[in-house]
Amino acid sequence: MTRSLGDGCGCFPTGRHYPGIAHLLKVAIRGLAEGFAQDMAWEEMDVALLDVETTGRDASVDRVVEVGIVVGRRGDVVARYNWLIHPGMPIPPEVIAIHGITDEMVKDKPRFEEVATEIGNALRGCVPAAYNALFDRAFMQGEFARAKAATSGIPAMARDVEWLDPLVWARDIQSDEKSRALGDVAARLGVKLESAHRASDDAEAALRVLFALGKDPRMPRAYGALVQEQRRLSQAQADQRRMWRK
């Protein structure tokens, strides 16, 4: 029988069982959000799936124009949040063509620093997640840093916390498929995506994709094992993409 490192089987490599030492054999797993046990089922936790729409792709110079957060637990949506945000810079026409958010739509909306506390509160107490998480995470960390907003106790803003990423799992579980774009992955799983490239709609679809992929036996049920395996897959996928570029 195969066991995860977090199972704490109470066995030495010989296979002989030694009662009472399982707690000593548990392996510390990097990337877990504080306050969540590694052996807890991740689907039982509050997972905050975040999506941002922006003025471009470079988090160092571009800005967020919309934030959507959808919180799920046990396969259901338990909360939805959405903010349109004035980016303090013009939105390029080629970007408007993607998400449809215009300068007119955001001209009277708050700047990020005005809603940073609200956004932080929506993420507080939740395991963070995003589809292609590196993108959304980079923008959120940049915006919170510029806003000089307090981030204590917000797992999504902790630098050592791994965000759950449905894209990593879609690349593995749907490896025979050519496209792993959110809309295509969602369609194959029977998940509806009402308005692609709008933050809340993308966030909800991505959350439902995460729960749908979670039914596959290749996704661990325990939070710690899930994070550990996702880190391994992410590295393997990154290595593979680097080989393709050569």
Side-chain angles (χ1 to χ4, degrees):
M1 180 172 67
T2 301
R3 292 181 181 270
S4 72
L5 289 176
D7 284 343
C9 65
C11 304
F12 285 127
T14 59
R16 184 177 177 184
H17 186 71
Y18 289 81
I21 65 169
H23 66 289
L24 298 177
L25 298 178
K26 282 196 174 183
V27 176
I29 297 174
R30 294 184 299 126
L32 303 187
E34 187 175 353
F36 295 95
Q38 68 180 42
D39 55 354
M40 183 177 178
W42 65 268
E43 291 170 302
E44 297 291 318
M45 303 173 176
D46 282 353
V47 177
L49 200 303
L50 179 144
D51 184 83
V52 297
E53 302 300 332
T54 67
T55 62
R57 299 193 60 83
D58 187 344
S60 67
V61 296
D62 289 304
R63 297 292 183 268
V64 168
V65 298
E66 187 177 36
V67 177
I69 298 172
V70 179
V71 181
R73 187 191 318 121
R74 301 190 191 96
D76 293 323
V77 171
V78 298
R80 294 180 182 85
Y81 307 91
N82 194 85
W83 296 265
L84 275 172
I85 294 169
H86 193 304
M89 63 188 298
I91 306 172
E94 63 272 20
V95 179
I96 294 174
I98 296 172
H99 53 50
I101 301 171
T102 65
D103 294 329
E104 182 68 21
M105 291 169 63
V106 298
K107 70 176 185 178
D108 296 323
K109 299 302 179 181
R111 299 294 180 97
F112 189 91
E113 57 266 26
E114 297 176 65
V115 294
T117 299
E118 293 177 31
I119 293 171
N121 287 338
L123 294 167
R124 195 177 300 277
C126 298
V127 173
Y131 200 87
N132 192 17
L134 288 175
F135 179 87
D136 300 87
R137 182 175 191 163
F139 271 94
M140 290 301 291
Q141 288 180 337
E143 293 288 7
F144 267 89
R146 282 186 289 270
K148 296 181 173 58
T151 59
S152 178
I154 304 173
M157 293 297 104
R159 293 194 176 275
D160 60 344
V161 169
E162 184 87 3
W163 287 36
L164 303 187
D165 191 342
L167 175 57
V168 173
W169 295 98
R171 285 172 174 158
D172 184 59
I173 293 170
Q174 297 187 356
S175 59
D176 293 335
E177 301 291 344
K178 186 175 181 180
S179 171
R180 264 59 66 87
L182 175 58
D184 295 328
V185 172
R188 289 193 287 266
L189 293 169
V191 173
K192 290 184 178 181
L193 175 52
E194 298 293 341
S195 299
H197 301 296
R198 290 304 302 268
S200 292
D201 295 276
D202 279 359
E204 181 165 346
L207 178 65
R208 294 191 184 280
V209 162
L210 179 66
F211 284 131
L213 291 171
K215 296 176 183 177
D216 190 284
R218 283 167 285 188
M219 279 188 72
R221 298 294 178 264
Y223 173 47
L226 182 77
V227 167
Q228 189 176 47
E229 179 63 4
Q230 181 177 291
R231 292 172 71 96
R232 186 191 70 79
L233 286 173
S234 295
Q235 185 59 57
Q237 291 167 7
D239 291 344
Q240 191 174 38
R241 289 194 296 276
R242 280 193 290 270
M243 288 180 62
W244 289 344
R245 296 191 191 107
K246 291 180 178 179

